[in-house]
Amino acid sequence: MSLAPFTQEHDLLRQTIAEWVAAEVTPNLAQWEDDGWFSNDVFRRAGELGFLGLAFPESAGGQGGDYWSQVVFLEELGKVSQAIAMVLSVQTDMSTPPLLKFGTERQIDRWLKPALNGELIGAIGITEPDTGSDVASIRTNAVRDGDEWILNGQKMYITNGARADFITMVVRTAPIEEADPWGGISMFIVDTSLDGFEVSQKLEKSGMKMSDTALLFMEDVRLPPDSLLGVEGEGFKQIMWELQGERLGVSVFGVAGAKAVLDEALSYACERHAFGRPIGDFQALSHRLVDMATEIEAVEALIYECCDLWNRGIYATEEVAMAKLSVGELCNKVVDEAVQTMGGAGLVEGSFISREWLGMRIGRIGGGSDEVQRQILAKTMGIG
Ligand SMILES: Cc1cc2nc3c(=O)[nH]c(=O)nc-3n(C[C@H](O)[C@H](O)[C@H](O)COP(=O)(O)OP(=O)(O)OC[C@H]3O[C@@H](n4cnc5c(N)ncnc54)[C@H](O)[C@@H]3O)c2cc1C
């Protein structure tokens, strides 16, 4: 059963994306994970095929589709790898939507259009070495100098950061004030080729190794006047808007990944024999698989409800926080149960399950941790 209103057009799109993924992505995943890197050609190919701007208007270089087209894209990626879904969604659901929402025509031409056709790679810059969940405490700052800005500071854990051409970045442009800690933050498009911008370190992670995660250092980077994105001082509100789309995107590819993990565990349980029977015949395992399927179905229904709201332009903070929270927990539970179902085979390095086991762990941390989602929800309930 599915609540999603996928049309024949979406089905055709799904088939085209699935063919590209099967031909050019899946066969390379193990190698990319070993290398801790993949070629920038993946962005170029996805852009060339029109997959990076599916739900962006044609006037901004996109394909003019609805949000369900983007859901199809994220699901097809999430099925095969959380890492590749993450890097491409940083391009499509994180670094570029603010360019469309807050950008000038000139910024759209200079940055958004080339990003949607895969010529430029984007990243989103929020987290810093000293602050992650507490976004209002960022210290990276930009000071006006004539009509330019001088940028100083650091950004931490930035996906695509080692290869990005631009970073959609939140920066402090006025000192923090006790009465309004969310004020004084602005959003910028930071050109990574400018003098003073440096990738200090590519951080090595336990999972999602193919996705680069960088520590960035900026010293007296002179930003041209049209680097400011949106309204000076409104950056906190702007990044909170961005985070809704980010959280929904990761929820969509997360649940698709959970389904793929369940399929793998189910096939294994049917094929693997112990004590003269397929292990799936043991009630302990069959009930476990049933529970996994049931929880996936419930979380997917919540996510599709959020997608429907998003598609209709409804800003659903509460529902999106619930989706992000529940999918992070779901993925980790499902993948852990899948490892248990597969025994030693689930732990073999390089296998689909073991790769996704490590990859899925980030879902409970990135884009606002479980605890942060619970804080958002507690506030909507008038507590916390
Ligand atoms: C692989 C990876 C990729 C990432 N990509 C990006 C990226 O592209 N761009 C970007 O800007 N960031 C990125 N991040 C950073 C990510 O968003 C942060 O790690 C996340 O927001 C948490 O921040 P932190 O790691 O500083 O943890 P902290 O904020 O220091 O939190 C540590 C722990 O304390 C808990 N905590 C904090 N505040 C509260 C509270 N009020 N109540 C209860 N518990 C609380 C947290 O939930 C967490 O469990 C990435 C992180 C990872 C691991």
Side-chain angles (χ1 to χ4, degrees):
M1 191 194 80
S2 170
L3 297 173
F6 293 122
T7 60
Q8 208 177 3
E9 215 175 300
H10 293 121
D11 293 343
L12 283 172
L13 174 67
R14 188 183 293 282
Q15 200 183 323
T16 313
I17 295 170
E19 281 166 12
W20 170 65
V21 169
E24 297 182 36
V25 177
T26 313
N28 300 311
L29 288 170
Q31 189 63 51
W32 292 342
E33 194 68 2
D34 277 353
D35 295 347
W37 189 255
F38 63 93
S39 163
N40 287 350
D41 288 345
V42 175
F43 289 92
R44 286 192 205 103
R45 273 296 281 157
E48 203 174 275
L49 294 165
F51 299 157
L52 297 180
L54 288 166
F56 284 78
E58 287 175 29
S59 57
Q63 308 303 311
D66 61 4
Y67 186 66
W68 294 105
S69 328
Q70 182 60 13
V71 171
V72 167
F73 179 61
L74 296 174
E75 285 183 341
E76 289 310 304
L77 295 171
K79 275 181 196 173
V80 300
S81 158
Q82 294 294 289
I84 207 74
M86 168 73 85
V87 296
L88 288 175
S89 78
V90 167
Q91 183 85 354
T92 55
D93 296 71
M94 306 183 202
S95 60
T96 51
L99 306 185
L100 178 68
K101 175 92 174 161
F102 308 112
T104 60
E105 210 171 304
R106 201 179 135 104
Q107 288 170 326
I108 288 174
D109 287 344
R110 168 71 182 89
W111 299 104
L112 181 60
K113 289 182 180 173
L116 298 187
N117 68 28
E119 283 165 28
L120 293 183
I121 297 174
I124 185 90
I126 308 170
T127 311
E128 301 185 355
D130 294 328
T131 189
S133 306
D134 184 8
V135 177
S137 294
I138 57 168
R139 290 194 203 161
T140 295
N141 66 85
V143 177
R144 270 191 190 278
D145 184 34
D147 59 357
E148 296 183 328
W149 298 83
I150 311 289
L151 175 69
N152 279 284
Q154 296 183 72
K155 291 287 172 184
M156 180 78 166
Y157 304 129
I158 305 305
T159 304
N160 298 348
R163 62 172 100 216
D165 297 293
F166 69 91
I167 320 247
T168 305
M169 191 182 287
V170 275
V171 165
R172 186 154 280 291
T173 46
I176 195 160
E177 280 181 26
E178 218 176 299
D180 178 19
W182 305 282
I185 291 175
S186 305
M187 196 177 254
F188 287 86
I189 309 167
V190 176
D191 179 345
T192 61
S193 68
L194 292 173
D195 286 346
F197 181 95
E198 192 192 314
V199 178
S200 315
Q201 199 186 340
K202 181 177 167 286
L203 302 160
E204 300 303 329
K205 307 186 298 297
S206 47
M208 276 199 186
K209 292 183 186 188
M210 73 185 85
S211 148
D212 59 292
T213 309
L215 171 62
L216 308 175
F217 183 66
M218 291 146 288
E219 186 175 21
D220 294 333
V221 179
R222 188 166 278 277
L223 300 176
D226 69 350
S227 302
L228 179 70
L229 181 60
V231 179
E232 184 180 346
E234 295 283 304
F236 188 83
K237 279 189 212 150
Q238 292 178 204
I239 203 68
M240 289 302 130
W241 176 86
E242 180 280 328
L243 281 168
Q244 296 306 304
E246 170 171 343
R247 288 170 184 158
L248 186 52
V250 301
S251 302
V252 169
F253 70 70
V255 81
K259 279 175 141 178
V261 162
L262 169 62
D263 287 348
E264 182 90 352
L266 183 58
S267 305
Y268 190 86
C270 295
E271 284 159 20
R272 177 76 175 176
H273 283 64
F275 303 97
R277 302 154 68 180
I279 56 169
D281 278 3
F282 296 112
Q283 201 179 57
L285 270 71
S286 65
H287 283 195
R288 176 188 294 154
L289 292 161
V290 165
D291 288 349
M292 287 156 77
T294 306
E295 288 180 40
I296 288 171
E297 191 74 21
V299 172
E300 187 183 62
L302 171 60
I303 290 167
Y304 280 172
E305 186 195 333
C306 293
C307 293
D308 176 50
L309 293 169
W310 191 256
N311 192 42
R312 290 189 282 129
I314 299 169
Y315 191 75
T317 311
E318 195 177 342
E319 291 84 351
V320 170
M322 284 180 179
K324 167 76 174 58
L325 173 61
S326 51
V327 83
E329 292 188 341
L330 172 83
C331 284
N332 281 276
K333 185 172 173 188
V334 164
V335 79
D336 186 63
E337 298 285 28
V339 169
Q340 192 64 22
T341 302
M342 296 179 67
L347 292 168
V348 172
E349 207 178 313
S351 67
F352 170 69
I353 289 292
S354 108
R355 194 185 64 225
E356 296 309 294
W357 184 34
L358 293 167
M360 283 177 167
R361 191 60 188 85
I362 189 216
R364 295 187 56 203
I365 297 170
S369 65
D370 289 2
E371 291 80 4
V372 166
Q373 304 315 304
R374 285 197 166 89
Q375 276 300 108
I376 293 170
L377 290 164
K379 284 203 180 100
T380 67
M381 294 164 72
I383 49 175

